[in-house]
């Protein structure tokens, strides 16, 4: 039944947004013909003449022409540069993908259709608006440092043949290394690095020491992952510690002492809530909501916590900070598991990126949560020092940061299912780009499970089945 509902919803979304995509593709097709008509003439240009086209385009823009006016000829030049430097000629569907990105939309392109090469088209065109002395006009956002460096290195010959510069921001760069990178026309980097540079710039007293300075146009790779999955992820810059760490140890011991309310009792509480009645669990001290990532003490839990701490009422007077410590300690106990959300390296708790699995050295959870995890592990026997809680100096969510750009575009293999959210939150339209050759792969509908346990069991069964048949995974 769930499979049928999922397939119906998927077909409905595809029907609504697919028809819209068809209209946009039909509107862009004449531009492809114009670019193809220009190809023989552009191919006769020498490398120096091809490079001179960039200066010509900038003069035409200064004289009043728009980016849309010069788009066919600019795309034809990028295609020719790709042929000469990478021996890769942009397919017609890649030209359409480039136009969609230039128009400030999301291009849904099947994996393997060359999104990295597609980005060179709108990147070159929009970089033409950059004036001497300004910071980069185009930011191309990738999901990790390796891809940022790889994509910049791979596409650099195209840009350099056309007289533009490009660079890649890496997480281990200091401010002096970032300045020359942002002085390029096109910059590759991860969403977090662009976001943190924005925060650091806003903390600098001297405008000349700022590196980013403006956010003109961004092309986001794997846009559904960054703008939907990671949208609410906060980027935080913290300051010097300003509180004692003693209470974290006490809260960790209390968390180990308290017991979780069993699932059957949680169900009874939910049923009572729907009837607008109160129900106190027969056993346990706190309720865990894994979906909303929260932990809440029951009335019995509050009384037991106050007894354990020797406090008459920690919701009044000088003891009002205890609920916050206890909440973090319970979250550390129930929701943050070693080797899943974090690992321990050289006596330090290191966060594991939930999207990439990479270790996030130097990053810490805010608001005392990191200290709560350190206290939990120290109680378990690990030789860990609890570092003082830092003060938040600057913060912004991924979503709010990318809404600062004057023009935003994205590309991914899966976007139609989130088309409504993209439109509502970012005013971004999704366009499905056809493949260069007919698809031979079968895309099955998503399968939705009622609980995380059922989902994980199904994944394990799938892996076991692949392994049994000898297929690589």
């Amino acid at each position: 039944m769930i499979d049928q509902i999922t397939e119906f919803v998927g077909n409905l979304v595809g029907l609504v947004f697919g028809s819209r995509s068809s209209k946009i593709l039909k509107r862009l097709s004449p531009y492809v013909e114009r670019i193809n008509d220009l190809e023989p003439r552009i191919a006769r240009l020498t490398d120096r003449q091809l490079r001179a086209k960039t200066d010509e385009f900038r003069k035409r823009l200064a004289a009043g022409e728009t980016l849309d006016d010069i788009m066919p000829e600019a795309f034809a030049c990028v295609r020719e540069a790709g042929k000469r430097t990478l021996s890769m000629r942009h397919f017609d569907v890649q030209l359409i993908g480039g136009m969609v990105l230039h128009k400030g939309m999301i291009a849904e392109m099947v994996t393997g259709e060359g999104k990295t090469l597609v980005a060179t088209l709108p990147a070159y065109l929009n970089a033409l608006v950059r004036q001497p002395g300004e910071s980069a006009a185009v930011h191309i956002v990738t999901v990790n440092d390796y891809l940022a460096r790889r994509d910049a290195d791979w596409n650099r010959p195209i840009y350099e043949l056309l007289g533009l510069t490009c660079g890649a921001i890496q997480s281990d760069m200091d401010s002096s290394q970032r300045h020359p990178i942002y002085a390029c026309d096109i910059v590759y980097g991860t969403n977090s690095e662009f976001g943190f540079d924005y925060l650091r710039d806003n903390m600098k007293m001297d405008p000349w020491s700022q590196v980013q300075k403006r956010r003109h146009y961004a092309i986001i790779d794997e846009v559904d992952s960054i703008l939907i999955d990671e949208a609410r992820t906060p980027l935080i810059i913290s300051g010097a510690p300003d509180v004692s760490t003693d209470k974290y140890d006490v809260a960790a011991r209390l968390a180990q002492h308290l017991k979780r309310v069993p699932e059957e009792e949680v169900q009874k509480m939910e049923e009572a809530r729907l009837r607008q009645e109160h129900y106190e669990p027969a056993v346990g001290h706190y309720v865990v909501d894994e979906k909303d990532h929260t932990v809440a003490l029951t009335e019995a839990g509050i009384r037991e916590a106050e007894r354990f701490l020797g406090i008459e009422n920690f919701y009044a007077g000088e003891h009002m900070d205890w609920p916050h410590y206890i909440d973090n300690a319970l979250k550390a106990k129930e929701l943050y598991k070693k080797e899943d959300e974090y690992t321990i390296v050289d006596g330090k708790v290191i966060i594991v990126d939930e999207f990439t699995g990479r270790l996030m050295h130097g990053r810490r959870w805010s608001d005392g949560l990191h200290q709560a995890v350190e206290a939990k592990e120290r109680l378990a026997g690990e030789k860990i020092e609890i570092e003082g809680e830092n003060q938040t100096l600057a913060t912004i969510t991924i979503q709010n940061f990318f809404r600062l750009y004057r023009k935003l575009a994205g590309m991914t293999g899966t976007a139609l299912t989130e088309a409504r959210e993209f439109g509502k939150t970012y005013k971004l339209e999704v366009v499905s780009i056809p493949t260069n050759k007919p698809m031979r792969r079968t895309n099955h509908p998503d399968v939705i499970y009622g609980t995380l346990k059922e989902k994980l069991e199904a994944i394990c069964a799938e892996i076991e089945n692949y392994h049994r048949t000898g297929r690589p995974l």
Side-chain angles (χ1 to χ4, degrees):
M1 183 65 180
I2 291 177
D3 290 353
Q4 293 172 338
I5 294 173
T6 305
E7 186 173 6
F8 171 76
V9 173
N11 291 339
L12 184 62
V13 170
L15 186 66
V16 173
F17 292 99
S19 60
R20 172 64 180 162
S21 293
S22 299
K23 293 178 182 177
I24 295 174
L25 295 175
K26 188 175 181 180
R27 197 167 69 231
L28 296 177
S29 294
Y31 288 101
V32 176
E33 294 177 10
R34 288 174 60 185
I35 295 170
N36 288 336
D37 290 341
L38 287 167
E39 187 170 12
R41 179 162 65 86
I42 298 296
R44 288 194 293 270
L45 299 177
T46 64
D47 286 356
R48 178 173 293 184
Q49 290 171 325
L50 190 61
R51 160 67 183 82
K53 295 296 288 184
T54 297
D55 296 328
E56 177 193 323
F57 291 144
R58 283 177 167 153
K59 289 177 183 177
R60 288 165 59 180
L61 290 172
E65 290 192 56
T66 66
L67 290 177
D68 287 347
D69 293 332
I70 66 172
M71 180 180 69
E73 199 168 350
F75 276 28
C77 289
V78 176
R79 174 190 262 181
E80 182 61 30
K83 287 159 56 180
R84 297 185 188 186
T85 58
L86 305 180
S87 299
M88 300 184 76
R89 177 183 178 275
H90 295 73
F91 299 131
D92 288 358
V93 291
Q94 290 178 313
L95 297 178
I96 293 175
M99 292 179 215
V100 167
L101 295 177
H102 164 61
K103 298 290 185 182
M105 295 186 281
I106 292 174
E108 183 187 71
M109 301 183 70
V110 174
T111 301
E113 288 295 293
K115 292 188 288 290
T116 304
L117 187 63
V118 168
T120 59
L121 297 160
Y124 169 74
L125 177 63
N126 284 268
L128 296 172
V129 303
R130 176 175 176 260
Q131 299 298 317
E134 291 183 340
S135 60
V138 179
H139 296 166
I140 300 182
V141 185
T142 63
V143 294
N144 58 54
D145 276 353
Y146 163 73
L147 288 177
R149 186 174 64 252
R150 185 206 70 177
D151 292 356
D153 290 343
W154 187 43
N155 290 320
R156 184 175 288 110
I158 293 179
Y159 300 130
E160 290 184 344
L161 178 59
L162 294 170
L164 299 186
T165 56
C166 85
I169 294 294
Q170 299 287 282
S171 58
D172 58 355
M173 288 181 173
D174 58 30
S175 183
S176 64
Q177 293 172 301
R178 291 169 189 261
H179 265 284
I181 301 297
Y182 275 105
C184 296
D185 298 291
I186 299 161
V187 176
Y188 288 78
T190 64
N191 56 342
S192 58
E193 288 308 310
F194 284 125
F196 277 120
D197 282 338
Y198 163 76
L199 293 178
R200 284 187 283 262
D201 278 353
N202 277 276
M203 295 171 63
K204 293 174 180 176
M205 303 299 291
D206 179 9
W208 296 107
S209 64
Q210 295 178 335
V211 295
Q212 201 173 93
K213 296 181 182 174
R214 69 169 182 165
R215 286 148 297 283
H216 173 66
Y217 176 52
I219 302 171
I220 304 176
D221 194 12
E222 305 298 346
V223 66
D224 50 342
S225 173
I226 292 173
L227 292 190
I228 302 296
D229 299 341
E230 301 184 43
R232 301 298 176 87
T233 303
L235 304 175
I236 301 171
I237 294 180
S238 301
D242 59 355
V243 295
S244 169
T245 62
D246 296 341
K247 289 185 176 180
Y248 293 110
D249 283 323
V250 178
R253 290 198 299 273
L254 172 58
Q256 292 302 316
H257 170 73
L258 298 176
K259 306 300 180 186
R260 178 174 178 170
V261 174
E263 286 300 319
E264 56 269 20
E265 289 292 304
V266 174
Q267 184 63 33
K268 291 178 182 178
M269 292 177 66
E270 180 62 21
E271 291 170 356
R273 187 187 66 80
L274 294 174
R275 296 193 303 268
Q276 297 185 334
E277 298 174 358
H278 176 71
Y279 176 80
E280 184 66 17
V283 291
H285 302 110
Y286 60 88
V287 176
V288 179
D289 187 334
E290 294 185 1
K291 180 177 180 293
D292 290 335
H293 217 63
T294 59
V295 179
L297 286 171
T298 63
E299 290 182 11
I302 294 173
R303 291 192 298 271
E304 180 59 22
E306 289 172 340
R307 186 201 65 77
F308 185 94
L309 296 171
I311 295 171
E312 185 175 342
N313 181 4
F314 57 37
Y315 288 105
E318 61 181 333
H319 304 300
M320 289 180 65
D321 57 345
W322 272 113
H324 179 67
Y325 285 98
I326 297 169
D327 182 62
N328 275 337
L330 292 173
K331 283 182 179 179
K333 174 186 175 182
E334 296 288 349
L335 300 175
Y336 291 80
K337 305 297 184 183
K338 185 178 177 182
E339 306 307 340
D340 284 346
E341 283 74 26
Y342 66 92
T343 189
I344 297 176
V345 179
D346 297 330
K348 292 185 179 294
V349 172
I350 306 297
I351 299 172
V352 177
D353 190 313
E354 64 176 309
F355 301 103
T356 65
R358 289 175 170 80
L359 300 185
M360 303 174 72
H361 291 278
R363 306 282 172 85
R364 293 175 65 81
W365 288 302
S366 63
D367 211 22
L369 178 59
H370 209 99
Q371 288 79 4
V373 173
E374 290 171 334
K376 180 188 79 169
E377 288 299 331
R378 189 154 82 164
L379 187 64
E382 294 284 351
K383 294 182 179 180
I384 292 176
E385 288 298 320
I386 300 177
E387 297 184 22
E389 185 175 348
N390 290 336
Q391 181 181 6
T392 298
L393 302 178
T395 181
I396 192 171
T397 62
I398 300 266
Q399 180 184 101
N400 288 336
F401 170 68
F402 281 110
R403 291 172 72 174
L404 295 173
Y405 281 84
R406 289 177 57 192
K407 185 163 75 169
L408 197 59
M411 49 190 181
T412 181
T414 52
L416 280 181
T417 50
E418 282 87 22
R420 185 176 179 182
E421 189 169 352
F422 279 124
K424 182 179 178 181
T425 306
Y426 301 98
K427 303 294 186 291
L428 288 172
E429 189 166 7
V430 177
V431 180
S432 182
I433 311 297
T435 55
N436 184 51
K437 293 184 178 181
M439 276 280 289
R440 299 178 65 184
R441 181 169 64 241
T442 302
N443 287 325
H444 297 288
D446 293 340
V447 180
I448 301 173
Y449 294 91
T451 66
L452 179 62
K453 183 174 183 292
E454 291 174 332
K455 172 184 171 182
L456 295 176
E457 287 175 348
I459 291 173
C460 291
E462 191 85 351
I463 292 171
E464 186 179 2
N465 181 54
Y466 281 136
H467 180 71
R468 188 165 50 246
T469 58
R471 292 177 63 184
L473 183 66

